[in-house]
Amino acid sequence: MIRSINGFGQYNGLNNSFTNSEWQITVSSRYYSSYKNYFGDEDLTPAKQNQTVNSVFTAEVTVARLLKNGWSLDLTIPYTDGARTSSQEHGGANTKRYTTRATGLGDIRFMARKWLLPPSINERGNIQLGLGLKFATGDYKYQDYFHKNDTTVVLSYVNPSIQLGDGGTGIMSELNAYYFLNSRKTWSVYGNVFYMLNPRDQNGVLFTAGSTAQPPSNPALRGLQYENSVPDVWALRLGMEYNLKNWGFSFGIRDEGVPVHDLLGESNGTRRPGYNLALEPGIIYNQSKFSIFFYLPVFIKHDIKLSVTDEQKSEITNLPVVSPGGSGDYLIFVGAQFRL
């Protein structure tokens, strides 16, 4: 659900607190493939011929300047390659499947962070707060070709789920924390909380899959807003880590999603709110000048909700609206951090 934002503390937070380095460079990647449809927690995945499959790979480079008294400044530059294969968006159900794709620069982010306690190897725990901005540098109007039949191909906006950005300037807030449970500092607990406010309501893009936009046949529905929404996003991670020499082994939960209603601004337009809850094992390998990490969140619960526009449609027609959202079974995070 969360587009082009990976990590949420996937860097080695302990070394970030203890290190004497002035610069850190983190290269990270995130991959997911969604091929199931959920509404609420019910699996509504159609037959394979009519399944819609999203495969999105995002690579990011984060340059961090570590300052005195626990302050740091981070600049993150993402690059995304997203593909969406379906029949429904082309010739319709039970027709040939085609793929649309969006590739390029994503939304750049800048974050200032501060450890509340002076970073020290002697500390049993610490809390870090962060505040930053996400800039609308990713193309949120990316277009590709839709095959309406064997002879007709139409250039149009790709699905918002693979767009390179959302068109909004986001306000990001973050909290990272850890605490060692024993004096040998082999066992610790960790937590990461992330929330991004997106004040913009809609971004002006109407997704039609290459078809000519037609007003709803019911006149009462014509006042609803269908352009792509610019939603808030959030993520939560809690878990435990065991450190053995140069290795760290973690296990926790990860919950991430999109709210129905944003905290700031309107929440109209096309969005797919809900959340995915996952169990998240991870491995970190540490050396004095670098760390390598791998995380594999495996989803255990999906909950897809109605958007504001869907709720309004249901109220006007007095009929239930079923609006499934896509998801998969897992995420993959791989990356490395270098301390200069």
Side-chain angles (χ1 to χ4, degrees):
M1 289 183 180
I2 298 180
R3 174 178 37 244
S4 298
I5 299 179
N6 66 41
F8 304 110
Q10 303 286 31
Y11 60 87
N12 183 1
L14 305 189
N15 274 353
N16 180 269
S17 177
F18 298 156
T19 183
N20 292 319
S21 301
E22 294 184 350
W23 292 91
Q24 292 180 349
I25 298 176
T26 304
V27 180
S28 61
S29 64
R30 166 177 171 150
Y31 173 80
Y32 77 87
S33 178
S34 66
Y35 50 91
K36 296 180 178 180
N37 285 351
Y38 288 90
F39 181 64
D41 60 356
E42 184 179 0
D43 188 344
L44 300 179
T45 304
K48 187 173 182 178
Q49 172 61 29
N50 294 318
Q51 285 182 13
T52 297
V53 179
N54 278 8
S55 297
V56 180
F57 175 81
T58 300
E60 298 190 338
V61 176
T62 298
V63 178
R65 179 67 166 96
L66 306 187
L67 305 173
K68 295 180 179 180
N69 301 319
W71 284 94
S72 64
L73 302 175
D74 295 5
L75 178 68
T76 300
I77 302 174
Y79 186 89
T80 297
D81 178 42
R84 182 175 174 91
T85 301
S86 75
S87 57
Q88 298 280 0
E89 293 181 356
H90 297 270
N94 300 313
T95 63
K96 186 176 180 180
R97 293 157 59 84
Y98 292 93
T99 298
T100 51
R101 184 178 294 273
T103 303
L105 178 70
D107 286 346
I108 293 174
R109 310 189 300 278
F110 177 80
M111 177 80 78
R113 295 184 172 93
K114 174 69 167 69
W115 289 105
L116 298 188
L117 299 176
S120 170
I121 193 84
N122 299 316
E123 291 291 345
R124 287 283 292 266
N126 211 338
I127 297 174
Q128 185 188 59
L129 300 180
L131 187 66
L133 292 174
K134 177 193 73 69
F135 302 98
T137 54
D139 188 354
Y140 60 95
K141 298 181 179 181
Y142 201 99
Q143 298 184 66
D144 202 357
Y145 290 97
F146 292 82
H147 298 254
K148 311 317 290 183
N149 53 51
D150 290 339
T151 59
T152 304
V153 178
V154 179
L155 181 65
S156 187
Y157 301 121
V158 300
N159 190 279
S161 63
I162 62 169
Q163 286 285 358
L164 302 178
D166 58 21
T169 299
I171 304 169
M172 304 181 297
S173 59
E174 185 177 61
L175 183 150
N176 299 304
Y178 69 88
Y179 184 78
F180 285 109
L181 299 175
N182 59 347
S183 58
R184 296 177 58 193
K185 296 186 177 180
T186 54
W187 288 97
S188 63
V189 291
Y190 66 86
N192 310 122
V193 180
F194 175 92
Y195 196 94
M196 183 173 69
L197 299 166
N198 252 327
R200 187 175 185 181
D201 183 20
Q202 301 169 87
N203 64 18
V205 174
L206 182 63
F207 175 67
T208 64
S211 300
T212 301
Q214 300 290 338
S217 56
N218 184 342
L221 298 178
R222 294 176 185 174
L224 298 183
Q225 302 180 59
Y226 298 96
E227 294 177 354
N228 291 344
S229 185
V230 185
D232 291 0
V233 295
W234 57 269
L236 169 69
R237 298 176 64 239
L238 297 171
M240 180 174 289
E241 183 170 333
Y242 175 68
N243 295 299
L244 179 64
K245 295 183 179 180
N246 294 335
W247 293 88
F249 303 91
S250 67
F251 187 81
I253 61 171
R254 180 190 191 96
D255 199 9
E256 59 182 30
V258 171
V260 177
H261 298 278
D262 293 343
L263 293 182
L264 183 64
E266 299 295 328
S267 308
N268 298 303
T270 299
R271 71 169 66 185
R272 188 60 57 233
Y275 68 87
N276 287 321
L277 178 65
L279 297 178
E280 183 181 51
I283 299 175
I284 297 176
Y285 177 72
N286 288 312
Q287 287 289 345
S288 61
K289 290 296 184 180
F290 71 91
S291 300
I292 299 173
F293 58 82
F294 171 80
Y295 291 87
L296 184 67
V298 178
F299 296 127
I300 58 173
K301 182 176 175 57
H302 311 266
D303 191 358
I304 306 301
K305 303 178 183 297
L306 291 179
S307 67
V308 169
T309 299
D310 290 333
E311 291 175 344
Q312 293 171 340
K313 186 186 300 183
S314 180
E315 291 175 2
I316 291 172
T317 62
N318 199 29
L319 295 171
V321 173
V322 177
S323 188
S327 186
D329 293 322
Y330 60 88
L331 298 168
I332 298 176
F333 292 92
V334 179
Q337 182 186 88
F338 303 91
R339 294 174 283 278
L340 307 180

